[in-house]
Amino acid sequence: MAIWCARLSVDRWRLSLAPEQDCDTRPTVLITETAHGPRIDAVNDAARDAGAQTGMMLADARTLCPQLCTAPSDPAGDLAMLETLAVWARRWGPWSALDPPDGLLVDVTAVAHLFGGEQRLLADVEAAFARRRLAVRAAIAPTAGAAWALAHYGPRHAIIDPHQDPLRALDDLPVAALRLDDDVLTVLRRLGLKRLGDLAGIATGAVDRSEAAARDALHRRFRNRKSPSANPLVRLDQLLGRVPEPLLPVEVRQMPLVQRRLMEPLRHRSLLDRVIADLAQDMARELEARAEGARRLELGLWRVDGEVIGLRIELAAATREAAHIARLFEEKLDKVDAGFGIETVRLCASWSEPLAMMQADVEQAAERHGTSLAAFVDRLTVRLGAQAVRRPAPNASHLPERAQAWRPPLEPQPALQGAFEFHARPLKLLDRPEKISVLYASPDGCPQRFRWRGNVHEVARVEGPERIAPEWWRERSSVRLRDYYRIEDASGRRYWIYRHGHAADGRGGVPDWFLQGLSA
């Protein structure tokens, strides 16, 4: 497989987004605010010639160049532009991948002959970027690691033949070409390993005893480093193609969009409501064809005078109910000024989720008899605001009182492990665990009789214990563990009790017992 890697000149395309000024002739830098002051994130050619460098503090750069111009950095905008370029770069290969913050990887396997060879392919790449005022350094190699090394530290228009040894072609490059962390590069330099040629014998695992010993020593030093960027041996194997390096291709996903271009501008609210209802029906059909439901909808209104009005709603659950969507936008339209009329209306689902077709849908059944829970939450959110509505959501904690938290309805569900859903919990938890008196056969044995709220209960059945240790990252070291029991008394009532600590834990005296939940 042949991959070409393009390293975009960050100072060019980032500074092109700076405020209106001549960034090519005046020394200009992009800065990021840090705890120690502004730090330079990118420089143009004029600033580099004046002595400014990426990563330098702004105060130090101003001592070298007092007339330095600054502009705030925009990492989110840079990433969005890089994603757009990755989609556009698929003209040279079947798929492309991001290499943030300033690189692209494109698979050009069996494609070069369409451009007249690999040299002409690289020339076409450079010319296409130059037409968009973007400077680029491109290279072609059998692996992504080798292509990255050539694009960042090699000569221009470098190409490695698939039958050529990558290390021999890259032996003059610095070890930074292995895409390692800064602390790892410092360690390698202290060991005297400054260029890839110094690692040739180590990488190939030569028979020579000294080289084999050097590889073993390097392996022992970095054996606990699991990340590829923290382990030079892993990066070497990836560069040689011995270890696979998965790449995530950029997938183009079109957002569902429907619109109406009106013959006559609309100024009356009733006509606008009818248009939005029609758009909601079209959006429902579009989402149904994709087997998806909308979570965020954006409505654009183009007025005759050229002003664009944007409205957005977010839903508590994925839906494609046209009536519900139109009802939510009705409250938003009360504050819209139509001016001399609205000539174009566009509805876009910027966030959608899979929503399969079901015959017996609980939400639809509830909607027919009244208002479904998701629709009710959406109405409250639109009317009162997203911060005024809360819903219970699971929390990553084994402790029952911390296993649930109140979160906004539009906040994404946190990722949880399956172990938190394994153990059964009672139907009702008390607001606070209540202390009980328990008679048991041994200090660490099962309960036989307990007193709660003045009544004595004989234990008929016991299940447990389920031990829950304290959260050491949140609690003090003196907190005792809990042993939970599910018990049933002679009358058939079920309780959830726990013993706070045990007799030999050395963190207190006799363990206390508490009742925390009721099962039936």
Side-chain angles (χ1 to χ4, degrees):
M1 179 179 67
I3 294 179
W4 73 262
C5 175
R7 179 183 182 271
L8 302 176
S9 181
V10 182
D11 53 348
R12 293 292 179 86
W13 66 269
R14 279 190 180 178
L15 293 177
S16 65
L17 304 178
E20 295 182 0
Q21 53 188 356
D22 191 359
C23 296
D24 291 334
T25 59
R26 301 180 59 182
T28 308
V29 299
L30 295 181
I31 59 173
T32 301
E33 293 293 337
T34 64
H36 302 285
R39 184 182 297 274
I40 296 178
D41 189 44
V43 299
N44 66 348
D45 293 337
R48 184 183 296 107
D49 296 338
Q53 296 180 2
T54 302
M56 181 184 294
M57 302 302 296
L58 180 61
D60 299 335
R62 285 197 183 278
T63 60
L64 301 175
C65 182
Q67 65 273 21
L68 198 64
C69 299
T70 63
S73 180
D74 183 16
D78 296 345
L79 183 60
M81 184 176 181
L82 191 63
E83 291 177 350
T84 304
L85 288 175
V87 176
W88 172 74
R90 291 173 60 176
R91 59 188 296 176
W92 293 291
W95 60 264
S96 60
L98 297 180
D99 181 36
D102 60 351
L104 296 175
L105 294 168
V106 181
D107 180 15
V108 293
T109 305
V111 175
H113 70 281
L114 300 176
F115 297 87
E118 295 178 342
Q119 288 288 354
R120 291 191 176 184
L121 187 149
L122 290 182
D124 184 71
V125 169
E126 187 168 343
F129 277 96
R131 287 193 296 268
R132 288 157 178 80
R133 301 182 63 187
L134 296 173
V136 64
R137 290 176 56 89
I140 296 180
T143 62
W148 191 96
L150 285 176
H152 286 73
Y153 297 96
R156 300 184 66 87
H157 306 120
I159 298 175
I160 295 181
D161 188 84
H163 304 290
Q164 185 180 1
D165 185 6
L167 276 181
R168 292 188 178 274
L170 306 174
D171 58 352
D172 290 335
L173 301 185
V175 291
L178 289 178
R179 299 171 293 168
L180 297 172
D181 297 335
D182 294 338
D183 58 336
V184 181
L185 293 176
T186 303
V187 173
L188 293 179
R189 292 191 187 100
R190 290 176 179 175
L191 295 175
L193 304 174
K194 299 181 180 180
R195 298 196 171 274
L196 293 183
D198 301 334
L199 299 173
I202 298 176
T204 56
V207 184
D208 186 80
R209 292 185 178 181
S210 61
E211 294 175 349
R215 182 179 178 89
D216 293 339
L218 205 61
H219 174 74
R220 288 193 301 270
R221 181 179 289 271
F222 297 100
R223 63 179 180 274
N224 295 327
R225 305 289 187 96
K226 303 301 181 183
S227 174
S229 61
N231 194 320
L233 295 179
V234 175
R235 282 302 194 195
L236 278 170
D237 291 338
Q238 289 180 345
L239 184 143
L240 297 174
R242 297 175 179 175
V243 174
E245 183 178 359
L247 299 176
L248 185 62
V250 177
E251 294 293 337
V252 181
R253 186 174 181 271
Q254 299 293 338
M255 295 184 297
L257 186 145
V258 293
Q259 67 177 6
R260 287 286 191 278
R261 296 183 181 273
L262 307 174
M263 297 181 61
E264 295 291 338
L266 297 181
R267 298 185 59 186
H268 299 286
R269 172 63 186 276
S270 59
L271 298 178
L272 184 58
D273 290 340
R274 186 180 304 173
V275 172
I276 292 178
D278 294 341
L279 285 177
Q281 293 285 352
D282 295 343
M283 177 60 68
R285 287 191 291 268
E286 184 75 16
L287 292 171
E288 185 177 358
R290 296 167 172 255
E292 295 179 348
R295 286 293 306 274
R296 183 189 297 120
L297 291 164
E298 297 179 0
L299 181 67
L301 306 173
W302 275 259
R303 299 196 327 189
V304 176
D305 55 4
E307 183 179 352
V308 181
I309 303 174
L311 303 176
R312 186 177 70 173
I313 60 173
E314 293 189 0
L315 310 174
T319 182
R320 49 176 176 259
E321 289 293 326
H324 178 52
I325 294 173
R327 189 183 305 114
L328 293 178
F329 276 113
E330 287 179 0
E331 299 187 14
K332 295 279 189 179
L333 293 174
D334 294 335
K335 302 178 182 180
V336 172
D337 181 14
F340 293 102
I342 297 174
E343 59 181 359
T344 303
V345 184
R346 178 181 296 176
L347 182 61
C348 173
S350 58
W351 177 15
S352 59
E353 294 179 348
L355 184 62
M357 299 286 293
M358 294 191 303
Q359 295 181 352
D361 187 82
V362 178
E363 289 291 321
Q364 293 180 1
E367 184 71 34
R368 289 194 296 268
H369 296 286
T371 302
S372 67
L373 178 60
F376 174 70
V377 172
D378 292 336
R379 292 183 185 181
L380 289 181
T381 303
V382 171
R383 182 170 300 178
L384 305 178
Q387 302 300 324
V389 184
R390 294 289 186 270
R391 62 175 173 82
N395 191 32
S397 178
H398 286 286
L399 297 179
E401 59 270 18
R402 293 177 181 169
Q404 182 173 285
W406 292 95
R407 303 182 184 276
L410 303 180
E411 182 176 328
Q413 287 278 0
L416 293 177
Q417 300 177 4
F420 292 108
E421 304 174 358
F422 178 76
H423 299 288
R425 291 294 181 257
L427 298 177
K428 179 180 179 181
L429 289 179
L430 302 181
D431 293 336
R432 293 182 179 179
E434 298 185 10
K435 193 172 183 179
I436 60 177
S437 300
V438 176
L439 176 65
Y440 42 85
S442 62
D444 294 333
C446 298
Q448 298 180 352
R449 182 186 301 113
F450 70 95
R451 179 187 296 272
W452 177 51
R453 295 182 179 178
N455 297 324
V456 178
H457 301 265
E458 295 289 340
V459 177
R461 296 179 179 86
V462 180
E463 183 180 355
E466 174 192 345
R467 177 160 294 182
I468 299 179
E471 297 175 341
W472 55 267
W473 61 92
R474 187 178 293 163
E475 305 283 359
R476 294 177 298 180
S477 59
S478 59
V479 176
R480 312 181 79 174
L481 54 81
R482 302 180 185 180
D483 285 334
Y484 279 85
Y485 295 87
R486 287 186 291 271
I487 63 175
E488 180 181 334
D489 63 4
S491 302
R493 291 185 291 266
R494 297 180 179 179
Y495 306 90
W496 201 41
I497 67 175
Y498 70 87
R499 179 177 58 235
H500 193 217
H502 58 87
D505 59 2
R507 299 183 179 181
V510 179
D512 295 324
W513 288 81
F514 294 88
L515 189 145
Q516 192 168 9
L518 305 175
S519 296

